[in-house]
Amino acid sequence: MFQKILIAYDGSSGAERALEKATELARLCAAHLVVLTVYRHHSMLEASLSMVRGSLEPGGNLDEAMRTTARNAADYAKSHARDAGVAKVSAFIKAGQPARTIVQLGKEKGCDLIVVGSRGLGATEGYLLGSVSHKVTGLADCPVMVV
């Protein structure tokens, strides 16, 4: 049925449920599972919030911390899928606007299904601009499963 499935994974509980469904579908269809974690370049607001939270090591770079967090999430999802019996799994991290980046990679990799969680880590963006899952459904040329 599906030959290449893209799962957008950000580590949230919604993405975790989407990963479970995408993994199950990839295993059933013997499909290649493409994991994507998108992170955004930080803004001055995010930089000032990180100073308040104190989450960076002294002298740390917020972009590098976000990239590392994204890499860890993508690696976890890839490992989880392999452990669940998916034979072909690849993982990518990209910086950018989440919905557009998800759809763009789906096109580049020839995915015939995109799986996203109904809610992710970007609650503020979802409130102000509309949810990532909603945007992906509007932008994608292939079917999108919202879990």
Side-chain angles (χ1 to χ4, degrees):
M1 179 181 247
F2 298 110
Q3 298 194 4
K4 201 174 268 192
I5 300 169
L6 172 64
I7 170 68
Y9 184 78
D10 64 4
S12 66
S13 60
E16 195 67 35
R17 288 188 301 276
L19 176 62
E20 291 300 323
K21 187 54 70 178
T23 298
E24 180 183 343
L25 281 170
R27 192 177 57 245
L28 288 171
C29 298
H32 181 167
L33 187 64
V34 178
V35 175
L36 172 62
T37 302
V38 180
Y39 67 96
R40 295 190 70 144
H41 173 75
H42 74 276
S43 67
M44 290 307 290
L45 172 63
E46 290 165 325
S48 63
L49 289 175
S50 71
M51 291 170 57
V52 173
R53 285 191 303 256
S55 60
L56 290 177
E57 295 180 16
N61 177 312
L62 187 55
D63 280 335
E64 189 58 39
M66 292 171 73
R67 189 174 10 266
T68 299
T69 300
R71 171 53 55 205
N72 291 341
D75 288 345
Y76 164 79
K78 181 178 179 180
S79 174
H80 178 80
R82 281 201 174 134
D83 291 346
V86 178
K88 295 182 280 185
V89 185
S90 54
F92 300 89
I93 61 167
K94 299 272 185 184
Q97 194 282 329
R100 292 189 189 285
T101 305
I102 292 165
V103 171
Q104 180 182 4
L105 187 75
K107 286 180 184 175
E108 287 173 11
K109 298 298 178 186
C111 296
D112 48 10
L113 176 68
I114 297 174
V115 181
V116 294
S118 60
R119 301 225 183 237
L121 294 175
T124 303
E125 178 181 307
Y127 177 72
L128 296 174
L129 302 173
S131 71
V132 171
S133 57
H134 179 52
K135 287 182 184 178
V136 169
T137 61
L139 293 171
D141 294 331
C142 67
V144 177
M145 177 184 287
V146 180
V147 180

